[in-house]
Amino acid sequence: MKFIVIKISGSIINQLASTTFKQIADLRSNGLYPIIVHDGGPKVNEALIENGIEAEYINGIRKINLPTLNIIANTLLCKVNVEWKKQMKLHKISLALTGHIFQYLIVVLFLKN
């Protein structure tokens, strides 16, 4: 199996052309397994503000503590992934969405610190 990783900013999901989704589907029909990596972009920022948490950055990297992490994880899993699923369904692309990998990465990051 051959995989291709595609990074797409969470801030542009609703602005992607339908041809982008067709191209993703075409990759699969050509024997490649696309892995789409996205961030929460504005949705994460909105969720932090709604919860009274001001985003802090160090050298352009978001500083994350446990309350911030919980909000980010919830936003990615319950809002951003839902939006991706809607867009993929709209463009007749089947996919699997998982937050399990995200959860494992979080554990590794905390264990390293």
Side-chain angles (χ1 to χ4, degrees), residues 17-105:
S18 60
T19 54
T20 303
F21 293 97
K22 180 172 180 348
Q23 290 168 338
I24 291 170
D26 288 346
L27 290 170
R28 181 63 190 99
S29 62
N30 287 313
L32 293 171
Y33 291 83
I35 299 171
I36 299 172
V37 179
H38 64 81
D39 61 9
K43 291 203 184 297
V44 167
N45 293 335
E46 290 169 14
L48 291 173
I49 291 168
E50 287 171 7
N51 286 276
I53 296 175
E54 186 175 334
E56 294 180 57
Y57 295 89
I58 299 172
N59 296 326
I61 298 173
R62 188 191 307 268
K63 180 180 173 184
I64 299 176
N65 55 24
L66 191 55
T68 303
L69 179 62
N70 287 332
I71 292 167
I72 292 171
N74 185 57
T75 302
L76 290 173
L77 297 173
C78 300
K79 293 182 181 177
V80 178
N81 276 359
V82 169
E83 184 61 34
W84 272 104
K85 187 173 181 178
K86 285 181 192 174
Q87 290 292 330
M88 294 296 194
K89 187 174 182 179
L90 179 68
H91 293 91
K92 297 180 173 64
I93 300 172
S94 62
L95 79 158
L97 292 173
T98 180
H100 300 294
I101 294 171
F102 179 73
Q103 293 167 356
Y104 293 127
L105 289 174

